Amino acid sequence: MSQETLADAAHVSSGYLSKLERGLYKSPSFEVLSRIARALGLQTIELYRAAGIEHLLDSIDPKLEPLMETFTPKLEDLPKRDRDLILSEIHRVFREEEEGR
């Protein structure tokens, strides 16, 4: 798959993909990597492992990942600010539930 084809399928710029491939982004967002993984036909965790950045998954709650994988594609058409707000709210609600609030 060409970089342009992957960029189109993942809704990112080819410039972003190029910089990501060259290691210029040390902590790419879970949302972007999820879109790239989907475009490649992979689960997000597989992409993290293949890229050698599975250590970044430490900040992601494994119980929440399947839920986030479900919501991320449905939010793609929203502006980034709105997506980030919704995803952070999902994280907050999940944390509160875990704490028994």
Side-chain angles (χ1 to χ4, degrees):
M1 176 182 298
S2 74
Q3 195 175 69
E4 289 291 326
T5 302
L6 178 57
D8 287 343
H11 304 288
V12 297
S13 72
S14 58
Y16 180 88
L17 278 182
S18 175
K19 290 177 182 176
L20 187 62
E21 286 179 352
R22 290 182 283 151
L24 298 178
Y25 295 123
K26 302 298 180 198
S27 304
S29 75
F30 181 82
E31 175 196 349
V32 170
L33 288 183
S34 293
R35 292 195 318 249
I36 293 170
R38 257 192 324 283
L40 292 169
L42 301 170
Q43 289 192 357
T44 305
I45 194 163
E46 292 177 83
L47 183 61
Y48 272 83
R49 287 185 182 131
I53 56 173
E54 61 271 15
H55 64 280
L56 296 177
L57 289 171
D58 292 344
S59 63
I60 300 170
D61 188 324
K63 292 179 264 171
L64 190 55
E65 183 182 346
L67 177 65
M68 300 312 275
E69 293 271 349
T70 302
F71 277 108
T72 301
K74 296 175 183 176
L75 303 176
E76 285 179 357
D77 293 334
L78 295 175
K80 181 182 180 342
R81 181 177 174 268
D82 293 344
R83 282 192 316 263
D84 291 345
L85 183 63
I86 291 167
L87 293 173
S88 72
E89 224 16 56
I90 292 170
H91 280 280
R92 184 190 63 74
V93 168
F94 188 79
R95 276 191 308 271
E96 285 181 4
E97 288 294 318
E98 287 288 305
E99 293 170 2
R101 290 187 184 172

